[in-house]
Amino acid sequence: MENDKNTLDNEFYEKAVSLYRKKNYAYAIELLTQVLQENPEHQDCQRYLWDCIRQKNALIKQSLSSIIIKKLKIFILTIKFLIISINQTNDQTLELIKKIILLDPNNISALFKLSAEYSKLNKNILKITALEEIIHIDKNNLLALKILADIYYTQKTYEKAKVIAMKVLKLSPRYLPAETILNDISALGTIEKGFDEIKPAT
């Protein structure tokens, strides 16, 4: 039964991606939402959902009243989040932040909050998803880049860590942690190369 459900989720996801590419965003959003309800840690699905909403919003000419209503909803949700998060992180705080981002997928502040919530829950993959979404919106967001460089390096994803650390140094040339990451990766590469060149005794 579990395999049947996973197969169905995959079918919904593939169908949603196809609809996204055809710019049928409304139906794609519906299917992506269903998949995430069953599998909240589906990274690609989450990213597609955010971008679907972003693309759909870009196609709609919003009235002044609808903009005001959306901003008011975001404000209320943010206040609720701040009140609840004073005491603890739980499913309620997570859902509030998710609702804010669904209303405004370009809300970098909310995405930072989401990454922080995932960090507290030790859900590092989803934390990375939120941070990468920030870079997708603002490729020069220095704070997100710094955090990602450190995460990639800690996870030994050295190629990504190197690329991000170099980007950080372009924006902040004297940022020592990024220099350290690049030096360490360079040293690791030299060590690995050295081991490769060692020949067995004859």
Side-chain angles (χ1 to χ4, degrees), residues 127-189:
K127 175 182 177 180
I128 291 170
T129 301
L131 291 167
E132 287 178 341
E133 190 70 10
I134 292 169
I135 301 304
H136 176 71
I137 298 165
D138 175 13
K139 64 181 180 179
N140 292 325
N141 191 291
L142 189 55
L143 179 56
L145 288 167
K146 287 177 178 179
I147 298 171
L148 278 172
D150 183 64
I151 292 173
Y152 289 145
Y153 177 73
T154 302
Q155 291 185 341
K156 299 183 179 180
T157 313
Y158 295 130
E159 196 58 41
K160 284 186 175 182
K162 183 178 179 180
V163 170
I164 298 296
M166 290 173 67
K167 179 73 173 177
V168 169
L169 287 175
K170 282 184 179 179
L171 297 169
S172 181
R174 295 185 180 181
Y175 186 64
L176 185 58
E179 290 181 1
T180 302
I181 286 171
L182 290 176
N183 290 336
D184 287 351
I185 291 172
S186 178
L188 285 167

Side-chain angles (χ1 to χ4, degrees), residues 17-32:
V17 172
S18 175
L19 290 165
Y20 169 85
R21 289 172 180 159
K22 293 174 183 176
K23 300 184 179 181
N24 188 345
Y25 300 122
Y27 190 18
I29 288 168
E30 184 180 329
L31 292 180
L32 291 167

Side-chain angles (χ1 to χ4, degrees), residues 80-90 93 117 120:
K80 285 183 179 179
F81 167 80
L82 292 173
I83 292 169
I84 295 170
S85 63
I86 289 172
N87 297 318
Q88 60 183 349
T89 296
N90 54 34
T93 57
E117 292 297 298
K120 293 173 188 175

